[in-house]
Amino acid sequence: MKLKMLAILTLTSLIALSGCGGNNTSNNVDNNENNGNETNQQNNNVSSAEPVDYTWFATTGFWNPPQWSTEPGSVTGEITKNTGVTFNYNIPAQDGDTKLNLLMVSSGDFPDVITTVGPDMGKKLVQAGKVWDIEEFLTKYDPDSHLLKDYPADLKEQMVKYYGGWYALGSHVTSDDAKEQYPPSSEYYTDMAKYSWNKGIVVNTNLLKEAGLELSDLKTEEDVLAALKKVKDMNLKVDGQAVIPLQIHGKNYHGETLQYLQASFGGMPIDKDGKYRNILLSDANKEAVQFLFKAAQGGYFDAGQMTTDGAGIDANILSKRVFMFIGNTTNAKFDQLDFWVSPGVISSTTDAKPVFAYWSEPGRGWMQTLISKTVKEPEKLAKWLSYMTSSEGLTLTNFGIEGEHYTKDDKGLITRTDKGIEDQKNGSSTGVDIFWQFINSAFLEHVQPAPTKQEGAGGLIQMEAQTAYARQPEIERYDASVLTLPSDFYAAGSENQLIRDQIQQYMEAQVAKIILAKDEATFNKYYDDFIAKLKDLKIEQLDAALDTELQKKSQELGIIVKGVN
């Protein structure tokens, strides 16, 4: 899975005929017939017309595409050649949703393309009548689009359920229908789909060995805390700098580090009676928070980590001084570091069984990309949508130029060259593998062979680390599809939305205070106050409403899920 969620914001400029932009990419068609290759034939003469410049707004402040260039041989240049479009970007570094809300009520120009993340903004755009239904848009402006013929029906169904129509294209899509269109090239990808989880724990083998420890020494919560203490007490150094015993996931530790610990300690949002129960009210949540409290008490991580951004996490990881990282392991820099291993599960002191959520029903994807109804020259933008989602466009944007950035074997499977690997790392200037909005996970698993190298992004070291948790025999798997909510459950301005947001804001502020409590007695007091305040904020009322939807969804799918602890 290529969820690259935090990018360092850097831009490099190259002077080109029509402006500044990125470097190299591809104009080659993938060998998968019947999967959108007709786009090339439709667009052969597009470049003869003057390109139309569109505005692309994204709430994803971490996304850093290159400035658009029409230079031949660049990713953006090849897109322009095939579609007749160029783009300028409006990507707020922060508060993207707020700024998009302001644009929605402004009398000024509205962006042509909008990419959002999170559950609310896409729905707001639809409800405000700001964006096109994709099917209507393509039927009117690109009636031969492959998307009208081959967009996976099960993914489209989820879009319609959520938005009330097919209003968006999702990124990182995969589903049964998508895999039927693009079957995986190897069982490796089947295993990754079944077992991979980005949240987890990884350990630096170099420091593990230096501390006289084995991976088998890290089985239980007590084992892990004892190992962290040993590493701290040994005053180990790397290049003259002190080793960091534990790295948490910066200011998003509550969304990454705590979520891993909750699952490892058996936490589920469903209780043993099959009723919805917010995981913050579970015993596993208290144990997860208490683990970090004990780590803070021992000095195994600095409190400053709790406000660190992605760049700060990256700097610590790349210094090779981190002994243990608990968080989203896509930040473990597998493309540059080859020493990570994972024990998988940290067993609870209560002997609770660890849990792993999977979804039998496909989701809508991560980033959601929508098209404004005020777009000028919609025909070209429609061609662009069709091209970017075709096998030709996906090959270009993900891999670059054949012979320069990648090669194909006799089966048509793609392997990146050394330059391709390097330009992928520098996607913010090269454009290679930076247009994440159109990543089709099923396509990528279809056109790439299983890795054979241990090191590198997507290598066996990364696979083993990111599947270690779910492969543990004690894991209890549950189908989280029953937790899927109707699109209007958190309608803008609704009581449900208000309660949810207040709980989230309070949790993020208060958990840090609890973790940094001066002693155990203070920890317990703060935690009891935390639970009481959650109830004052109507968490139980929200749980009751969520339980109603859980029971409906369970009946719809014919699936009953109960808590295992």
Side-chain angles (χ1 to χ4, degrees), residues 413-428:
L413 298 179
I414 292 173
T415 299
R416 297 184 195 273
T417 63
D418 289 343
K419 179 171 175 52
I421 293 170
E422 189 63 26
D423 281 3
Q424 181 189 27
K425 293 177 185 177
N426 299 315
S428 289

Side-chain angles (χ1 to χ4, degrees), residues 205-206 333-341 454-456 461:
T205 52
N206 296 334
K333 298 297 179 182
F334 290 102
D335 59 333
Q336 300 175 59
L337 304 175
D338 62 0
F339 49 61
W340 295 118
V341 293
Q454 289 288 322
E455 66 282 351
I461 290 173

Side-chain angles (χ1 to χ4, degrees), residues 269-290:
I270 302 173
D271 67 17
K272 295 190 73 170
D273 295 324
K275 293 182 177 296
Y276 188 91
R277 187 262 336 268
N278 193 300
I279 202 165
L280 295 177
L281 301 178
S282 68
D283 292 340
N285 182 67
K286 182 174 184 179
E287 188 174 358
V289 176
Q290 195 162 35

Side-chain angles (χ1 to χ4, degrees), residues 35-109:
N35 284 323
N37 286 336
E38 66 271 18
T39 304
N40 188 45
Q41 298 170 359
Q42 296 167 3
N43 294 325
N44 280 340
N45 299 317
V46 169
S47 60
S48 61
E50 188 71 19
V52 177
D53 191 53
Y54 297 95
T55 298
W56 191 341
F57 184 97
T59 63
T60 49
F62 51 82
W63 180 52
N64 188 31
Q67 292 183 353
W68 202 274
S69 168
T70 57
E71 180 182 359
S74 67
V75 170
T76 55
E78 293 302 310
I79 293 172
T80 298
K81 186 179 81 172
N82 283 281
T83 65
V85 309
T86 63
F87 282 97
N88 64 85
Y89 301 102
N90 185 348
I91 310 174
Q94 56 188 5
D95 299 325
D97 285 355
T98 300
K99 291 171 183 177
L100 183 54
N101 273 315
L102 292 173
L103 284 173
M104 288 173 63
V105 298
S106 169
S107 59
D109 291 339

